Amino acid sequence: MLHLRMDRKASDNVYLHKDFHNAFNLAIQYLTDNYGEEGVRDYLRYFTRNYYGPLKADLLERGLVAIEEHYRKIYEIEGGDVTIERSDDPEELVITVRVCPAVEHIRKLGSKLAPNYEWSTSLVHETLCEDTPWRAEFSGWDPQTGASIQRFVRR
Amino acid sequence: MISCTEFIPSYSLFFSWLDETAGHDKVLEYWKYISDNYLDMLENAVREKGIFGCWEYWKHSLNEEAADFVQELYLNEDGTGKFSIDMRYCPSKGRLLEYSHFTPYYDYCSHCPALYPPMLERYGLRGIADMDRVDEAACGETYYMDNPPAPEIAAAGWKAALEELATGEGITGSLTEK
């Protein structure tokens, strides 16, 4: 008989399980198939209002630097080809994504990107900006690479 | 972009949304959908290497998820054996317990036994879950391959297990006659 044993502590590894991007993609696909586009929208708003409550509070308190810091931290962990820029206008933040690490990983696994997957960015940003002095814009979406331009500006 | 490091809250809130929108049965339906559609990596590994596929799959996942765990495999050359995970601190449930600004889905931990054993059963693996301590983010699961799989599957699993024993980083173990 052969015996194998592996003993790991949480501190032995960095928390980065990119296969979760595919699981999230599957959830969007499932929502689309079973609850329609309105189901996708409703869930993403529900998620944003619940999970990003502290980020929204930070946005209201400190302004766009809250979103800037949030995304700098995320892309530092996730990688991708991304530029996060603040212009001279303190009320503007532009995130230019040339290669999205989430879409890149989903494609690498050979999975089909769910329809309206980009709403997990655009709609999340719109919901985050509800009842704040800012609005979110989203353009240049490329489902092959996940490229997009995400802009936050003063209303 | 929702980061993969934010997936667990998105998952938990997805279960909550489904439950509030359509009821707990629809959550169970979703878990069945994942079990049928999202376990390709585990299914392929088990199809090719039998119970060693469990070792391979969870080694990959639990290390990337930075879990606090022990996993063990007892394997016979005919492909029968036992695989177990002692999850001392589940990174998913652990994270959910640490959040104070939203309520984790009350039945979150039930997704694991709903996902894995039904699929593995198709490959001759019998699963037992220990869910007594999920409120402390601790649990266990054990899978038994009671009957030998096809000889080529047993041989592939045995060969891979021998390689793991010889070269696997941070792996301990032994090879005995019985």
Side-chain angles (χ1 to χ4, degrees):
Chain A
M1 172 174 279
L2 194 151
H3 173 227
L4 296 173
R5 185 173 194 275
M6 170 178 267
D7 186 334
R8 290 282 190 273
K9 294 191 169 43
S11 56
D12 292 336
N13 291 293
V14 175
Y15 180 60
L16 187 67
H17 187 47
K18 288 201 173 188
D19 295 349
F20 281 156
H21 284 305
N22 202 37
F24 184 80
N25 182 51
L26 193 78
I28 299 293
Q29 183 68 58
Y30 183 84
L31 273 169
T32 305
D33 294 344
N34 293 277
Y35 297 86
E37 290 189 346
E38 196 44 45
V40 181
R41 286 195 196 95
D42 198 43
Y43 160 67
L44 287 171
R45 288 190 197 109
Y46 178 89
F47 165 73
T48 306
R49 287 169 187 152
N50 279 280
Y51 179 65
Y52 286 131
L55 178 60
K56 182 166 180 168
D58 198 17
L59 171 65
L60 286 166
E61 189 181 329
R62 296 195 298 139
L64 290 176
V65 70
I67 293 178
E68 180 187 355
E69 287 176 4
H70 170 77
Y71 275 115
R72 285 198 188 283
K73 191 175 160 189
I74 278 182
Y75 285 114
E76 190 181 318
I77 298 167
E78 292 257 7
D81 185 354
V82 178
T83 307
I84 299 174
E85 293 170 296
R86 299 298 298 274
S87 65
D88 292 339
D89 180 355
E91 302 298 351
E92 181 185 40
L93 168 67
V94 180
I95 303 170
T96 304
V97 177
R98 286 172 291 276
V99 177
C100 168
V103 174
E104 186 180 35
H105 192 75
I106 292 164
R107 297 281 184 207
K108 185 180 147 192
L109 293 177
S111 300
K112 186 182 160 199
L113 200 67
N116 305 312
Y117 179 84
E118 71 275 22
W119 291 355
S120 62
T121 299
S122 60
L123 194 60
V124 164
H125 288 179
E126 281 173 29
T127 308
L128 190 61
C129 288
E130 279 174 349
D131 305 320
T132 77
W134 295 275
R135 65 183 163 85
E137 296 174 359
F138 184 85
S139 60
W141 168 244
D142 178 353
Q144 288 307 310
T145 59
S148 67
I149 298 169
Q150 302 155 28
R151 188 164 170 256
F152 295 85
V153 288
R154 195 91 183 176
R155 286 183 196 276
Chain B
M1 181 185 77
I2 296 169
S3 170
C4 64
T5 60
E6 300 170 310
F7 173 73
I8 296 304
S10 80
Y11 207 34
S12 177
L13 284 162
F14 185 48
F15 302 161
S16 298
W17 181 87
L18 273 176
D19 199 322
E20 288 173 25
T21 305
H24 186 256
D25 285 352
K26 296 296 178 184
V27 180
L28 300 180
E29 258 180 41
Y30 180 61
W31 290 344
K32 184 176 183 318
Y33 170 80
I34 302 174
S35 182
D36 291 342
N37 294 282
Y38 180 59
L39 303 181
D40 290 1
M41 284 166 79
L42 176 59
E43 188 165 3
N44 290 338
V46 168
R47 186 187 293 124
E48 289 170 18
K49 297 170 191 164
I51 196 169
F52 183 80
C54 293
W55 171 275
E56 197 172 72
Y57 172 80
W58 270 294
K59 176 187 167 187
H60 165 77
S61 297
L62 296 181
N63 276 287
E64 284 197 354
E65 291 182 56
D68 190 323
F69 71 103
V70 175
Q71 68 171 47
E72 286 188 276
L73 175 69
Y74 292 90
L75 181 66
N76 297 306
E77 199 166 358
D78 67 359
T80 57
K82 171 184 160 186
F83 171 75
S84 64
I85 297 169
D86 174 10
M87 184 65 78
R88 291 181 298 225
Y89 194 75
C90 169
S92 299
K93 185 58 182 273
R95 273 179 173 73
L96 290 175
L97 292 175
E98 286 162 16
Y99 291 118
S100 56
H101 66 283
F102 72 94
T103 307
Y105 186 53
Y106 75 95
D107 200 20
Y108 180 84
C109 289
S110 294
H111 81 270
C112 268
L115 260 60
Y116 301 110
M119 188 281 282
L120 291 171
E121 204 171 299
R122 298 201 293 270
Y123 296 90
L125 285 149
R126 175 171 56 90
I128 296 172
D130 174 3
M131 308 289 282
D132 288 349
R133 293 175 57 225
V134 292
D135 290 343
E136 300 163 42
C139 66
E141 53 191 309
T142 306
Y143 292 96
Y144 298 90
M145 183 72 95
D146 298 317
N147 299 306
E152 66 274 17
I153 295 171
W158 184 254
K159 185 182 171 204
L162 284 171
E163 282 174 14
E164 185 80 322
L165 180 62
T167 62
E169 192 180 333
I171 310 291
T172 58
S174 59
L175 179 62
T176 55
E177 294 223 355
K178 278 195 177 178

